[in-house]
Amino acid sequence: MDLAHSLDNESAGEVIRCIDMHTTGEPVRIVYAGFPALTGETLLAQREQALKQYDHLRRRILLEPRGHYDMYGAIIRPSTELVESEEAHVGVLYAHNGGFGTMCGHATLALGRFLVDTQDPAVFPKRHELAVDPASGTVMVNLHAPCGIVRVTVPVVITAKGEKSDPSRPVSFLSPPAYATATQLPVSIPPELRWSQLGDRDAITIGVSYGGTYFAIVDVRELGLEQGLKEVDLDLVAPVLQTLKAYLNTHPDFLAACQHPPDKPLPYPYAVMVVDSGVGVRPDDVEGTEAGLCFFADNQIDRSPTGSCVVARMALAYAKGERRRGQRWAYNSLVSNHFGTGAFVGGIVETGVQQAAIMSGREAVVVRVEGGAYYTGTSSFIVEAGDSTSHSGFSMKSVMTSSN
């Protein structure tokens, strides 16, 4: 008997099994077995149950010593109300260092590949319903995310054992309806919070846009960071964005712009995205490029270009008359700029979307986002009896905070 099997059998409690992947360097830990059954009749109810009853498992899976502060997770939900109604093939709960999210583009791209590649009906009961489109060599997966249906298209190759995902071509997804709620929102910065780079200015202007969750979108030079995102000193930029993110989450005008319809409860503004239209790797098949630096959740830094914010940025640019339907635009992160590969490509595929979920009759768009995702490993997580240090995970931030 090998050690791994022995530990599985002797461990306390259920073994949690995961597949690790990354998208432009941003990790996603896909939980496919061992997470407790969630009994909520809706996916949002399951999300609430996971938060109230099993948040220690989220921390165990993502934080130290099994992960790290910037780890990301996706917990497969085989049954949801939209799976039962046959609108979706499978559901997902997204998890990060601060809790459970409502939409995540990079995790969706990775999860699309895994769902095509798994053949285990216990993991994905409706896997047999996926069909190959012979003309495009792709498979579509209808994913039920907390923000709605996300339609994922996965390129495949045909083998003797059936189809499997093709890592040489990008995965893509079609977003739920996305829209801007403020194109140019003035935000006064109190004297005690102003950072030195602001100079003598006392306010900034931001955009607010919904791409499955809400983002504050701000030009890097609006923050007084004249060096832009070409050569970023994170020790300099991080405190500015942490200050801004915390302040915006208390600012009444920003919070008002993030209000969601009562029947679609999405609880909080998610992230600050700083953009720089002057830099960015530009693939051959796009009309333009830009770079971004995203601080999300509990000041987590996204290594990827942030797929849900590609959607939000497209919606904001459309509202400002800066993008049109059919335009393909490259969105880069610091990581994709560094390696010269890994940009997400976004394009608006539908405009004029009107539905009950859109507040005040705002016009929404549907955005296609493309990006590559890759496998990095597998994990089986256990907790031995008496191991209180790793039982619920921890971060050095929480350790140092509680020590003071």
Side-chain angles (χ1 to χ4, degrees), residues 370-393:
E370 303 172 6
Y374 299 91
Y375 290 100
T376 57
T378 64
S379 305
S380 294
F381 293 131
I382 63 170
V383 178
E384 285 193 288
D387 182 7
S388 58
T389 302
S390 86
H391 178 272
S392 299

Side-chain angles (χ1 to χ4, degrees), residues 116 201 277 321 328 377:
V116 167
R201 292 191 300 135
S277 59
R328 288 169 54 82

Side-chain angles (χ1 to χ4, degrees), residues 20 44 55 64 67-68 77 85 91 113-114 128-129 134 144 154 214 225 263 265 309 336 354 380 386 389:
D20 281 358
L44 289 180
D55 199 48
E64 298 180 52
H68 55 82
R77 303 307 312 139
S85 68
R113 284 197 63 197
F114 173 77
H128 67 281
E129 295 183 7
H144 184 191
V154 183
Y214 283 99
L225 302 172
D263 64 330
C309 197
S336 68
Q354 298 284 349
S380 294
T389 302

Side-chain angles (χ1 to χ4, degrees), residues 67-310:
H68 55 82
Y69 195 71
D70 292 316
M71 178 59 74
Y72 200 92
I75 303 168
I76 294 175
R77 303 307 312 139
S79 178
T80 75
E81 74 275 23
L82 297 187
V83 173
E84 296 306 313
S85 68
E86 300 189 349
E87 296 174 71
H89 294 112
V90 68
V92 62
L93 292 178
Y94 301 112
H96 49 67
N97 66 9
F100 292 90
T102 58
M103 175 56 190
C104 179
H106 94 275
T108 295
L109 296 172
L111 187 59
R113 284 197 63 197
F114 173 77
L115 290 170
V116 167
D117 290 338
T118 186
Q119 299 293 329
D120 187 344
V123 174
F124 185 8
K126 290 183 176 285
R127 171 63 180 82
H128 67 281
E129 295 183 7
L130 303 185
V132 178
D133 177 3
S136 62
T138 62
V139 169
M140 178 174 284
V141 183
N142 293 330
L143 181 67
H144 184 191
C147 64
I149 294 288
V150 183
R151 305 188 189 283
V152 189
T153 299
V154 183
V156 296
V157 293
I158 307 301
T159 71
K161 297 181 179 181
E163 66 270 9
K164 68 175 185 177
S165 66
D166 179 0
S168 70
R169 292 187 285 158
V171 182
S172 67
F173 68 83
L174 291 178
S175 74
Y179 51 94
T181 58
T183 57
Q184 293 195 351
L185 180 68
V187 176
S188 298
I189 307 296
E192 67 273 16
L193 296 182
R194 292 172 195 162
W195 47 93
S196 60
Q197 295 88 348
L198 269 182
D200 59 0
R201 292 191 300 135
D202 60 4
I204 62 172
T205 300
I206 67 172
V208 184
S209 191
Y210 175 77
T213 190
Y214 283 99
F215 292 88
I217 302 171
V218 57
D219 188 274
V220 64
R221 290 168 181 82
E222 187 70 18
L223 300 177
L225 302 172
E226 297 301 328
Q227 75 279 10
L229 295 181
K230 186 175 184 180
E231 296 180 3
V232 178
D233 182 348
L234 282 178
D235 291 335
L236 178 71
V237 175
V240 173
L241 297 185
Q242 289 170 7
T243 297
L244 178 60
K245 185 173 182 295
Y247 175 58
L248 286 176
N249 283 346
T250 67
H251 194 285
D253 292 342
F254 176 63
L255 294 177
C258 295
Q259 292 300 308
H260 214 62
D263 64 330
K264 299 281 185 178
L266 299 177
Y268 55 86
Y270 186 57
V272 172
M273 171 64 82
V274 180
V275 299
D276 186 347
S277 59
V279 297
V281 176
R282 182 171 176 173
D284 293 335
D285 57 347
V286 301
E287 294 187 41
T289 186
E290 62 185 55
L293 173 59
C294 184
F295 267 58
F296 70 98
D298 189 6
N299 291 316
Q300 195 165 338
I301 299 175
D302 200 339
R303 278 69 171 162
S304 85
T306 313
S308 51
C309 197
V310 168

